[in-house]
Amino acid sequence: MRAEVAAVARALVLRADEAGCLVSDRRTIATALLRGALLSHSLDWFARRYAAHLPRYGLFAVDLYQGWRWKVFEDDLPARLTPRYRELYAADPSRHGFMLDRIAELGVAPDEPLRPAQDPIVRALHPAVEERFARWLLRRHVAGQTVHWAVDFADMPFSVWDAPIEQGHDSVLRAVARLSGRPDPALADLMEIVAAGHGTELEWEHREESCTHTTPGVCALFPVLHRTLRMRGYTYVNALRHRELAGLAQAIERGDRPPQLHVPVTTS
C-alpha cells in the first residue's frame, strides 16, 4: 500500500511540474526545484549541526533562523551540501522526496553552481516568532530537557561548540586504529592515511549523514585538526564558520604539511 501511495504522489507532483512549465521555462523550474530542496535540506542540517545538542547543556539558540540565513548567504551552505546530497539521494531517493527524479523528468539540468535566490528567504523574523520557530523545529531535542538560558549563537561557550566535534574526534581515531592496526593513533597517522588516498576506507558514523566537506578524507581530518588546534591555543572568530579549517584539511589531503599546525593563532 505504501508503494502504491508513493507512486500516486509521484505522478501528481510530476504533473504539477509539467503545469509549471506552462508559465516558465524548464531550466528555471529545474533550478527552482533544486534550490528549494537544498534550502530545506540545509535548514535540517544546520539545526542538527549547530542547535540540536544545545538543550543537553541547558542552552537554547534563539537566533537559529538568522544563523541559518547567514550560513546560506555568507557561507555558501546549499552549494557546499550539494555533492553529499547527491550521494545520499542516489542511495535512497525516497528519503529526499524524489527531487532529483523530478528534475530529471523535466529533461534539463538545473543551473549550477547553485546560489540561493535573494528574495524568497525572509530577511528577519520578529524575535518572539523566531524563538517559537526554533522551539518548533527543535521540539524533539528540547522535549524532556530543562533549558535555563536562551542565548544567541555568538554567546555560546566555546566548550559547547567543542562537544560534538570532540565526539567526532574520538570516532575518527577509533576508525584510524581499526584501519591502521595502531592501538593509539594520532593526527600524524590520520594525515598519512588521508594523504595516501585512503580516506574513503575510514569507517565512522558521520559519513552516513549529510556533510559540507568535499571528501571523506577532509571530513575525517576536520574534528581531529579541530581538537589539535584548540589544544594549541586556537580560538573561534565565528563559531558558525569553519571554512579555513576545512581548507587546511584539503591541503593535507593534497600532501601538504601546513605550518599552521605548529603556530597557535586565532582562526575562524
Side-chain angles (χ1 to χ4, degrees), residues 61 149 193 216 241 260:
W149 298 285
I193 287 172
R241 181 181 176 91
Q260 294 97 319

Side-chain angles (χ1 to χ4, degrees), residues 128-182:
V129 174
E130 180 161 10
E131 182 169 353
R132 287 198 299 271
F133 171 72
R135 288 186 182 279
W136 176 84
L137 192 66
L138 298 170
R139 59 196 182 281
R140 196 162 46 85
H141 304 283
V142 176
Q145 304 284 351
T146 301
V147 177
H148 302 288
W149 298 285
V151 295
D152 294 339
F153 280 118
D155 297 326
M156 296 291 175
F158 286 163
S159 59
V160 173
W161 289 129
D162 287 345
I165 305 179
E166 291 282 329
Q167 295 173 9
H169 167 275
D170 296 342
S171 295
V172 169
L173 289 189
R174 286 194 295 269
V176 171
R178 289 192 296 269
L179 184 62
S180 67
R182 298 168 185 169

Side-chain angles (χ1 to χ4, degrees), residues 12-256:
L12 287 173
V13 295
L14 291 178
R15 288 175 60 185
D17 293 341
E18 285 295 331
C21 293
L22 298 176
V23 296
S24 184
D25 66 273
R26 290 178 176 270
R27 188 176 301 280
T28 299
I29 295 293
T31 301
L33 286 173
L34 182 58
R35 179 183 287 123
L38 287 170
L39 284 176
S40 176
H41 184 67
S42 72
L43 178 59
D44 290 340
W45 178 90
F46 181 83
R48 290 195 309 271
R49 170 64 180 82
Y50 287 101
H53 71 292
L54 298 177
R56 296 201 300 269
Y57 301 92
L59 300 170
F60 187 84
V62 292
D63 59 341
L64 185 146
Y65 180 84
Q66 283 300 325
W68 167 69
R69 195 178 188 282
W70 184 90
K71 289 288 285 187
V72 167
F73 286 107
E74 304 299 330
D75 211 30
D76 208 18
L77 181 58
R80 293 169 60 216
L81 284 170
T82 300
R84 185 63 179 151
Y85 176 82
R86 291 186 178 279
E87 289 180 14
L88 293 172
Y89 187 96
D92 185 4
S94 64
R95 179 182 177 184
H96 299 275
F98 300 101
M99 185 57 66
L100 296 187
D101 286 0
R102 291 173 62 187
I103 293 171
E105 288 285 343
L106 293 172
V108 296
D111 291 329
E112 292 194 47
L114 194 67
R115 291 289 299 161
Q118 294 301 308
D119 55 344
I121 303 180
V122 178
R123 289 187 177 276
L125 301 175
H126 185 280
V129 174
E130 180 161 10
E131 182 169 353
R132 287 198 299 271
F133 171 72
R135 288 186 182 279
W136 176 84
L137 192 66
L138 298 170
R139 59 196 182 281
R140 196 162 46 85
H141 304 283
V142 176
Q145 304 284 351
T146 301
V147 177
H148 302 288
W149 298 285
V151 295
D152 294 339
F153 280 118
D155 297 326
M156 296 291 175
F158 286 163
S159 59
V160 173
W161 289 129
D162 287 345
I165 305 179
E166 291 282 329
Q167 295 173 9
H169 167 275
D170 296 342
S171 295
V172 169
L173 289 189
R174 286 194 295 269
V176 171
R178 289 192 296 269
L179 184 62
S180 67
R182 298 168 185 169
D184 191 22
L187 173 61
D189 301 302
L190 174 60
M191 292 171 64
E192 179 182 324
I193 287 172
V194 173
H198 299 301
T200 56
E201 298 173 31
L202 291 168
E203 298 180 358
W204 63 298
E205 62 275 8
H206 184 67
R207 286 304 294 174
E208 299 174 4
E209 301 297 332
S210 183
C211 183
T212 59
H213 300 140
T214 53
T215 67
V218 169
C219 187
L221 278 165
F222 184 88
V224 182
L225 284 172
H226 174 275
R227 168 71 176 276
T228 301
L229 295 175
R230 291 284 285 135
M231 294 290 289
R232 296 184 183 186
Y234 280 67
T235 58
Y236 297 108
V237 171
N238 183 342
L240 297 182
R241 181 181 176 91
H242 290 117
R243 299 287 292 279
E244 285 77 10
L245 193 56
L248 181 60
Q250 290 171 347
I252 292 171
E253 188 172 47
R254 293 192 300 266
D256 297 340

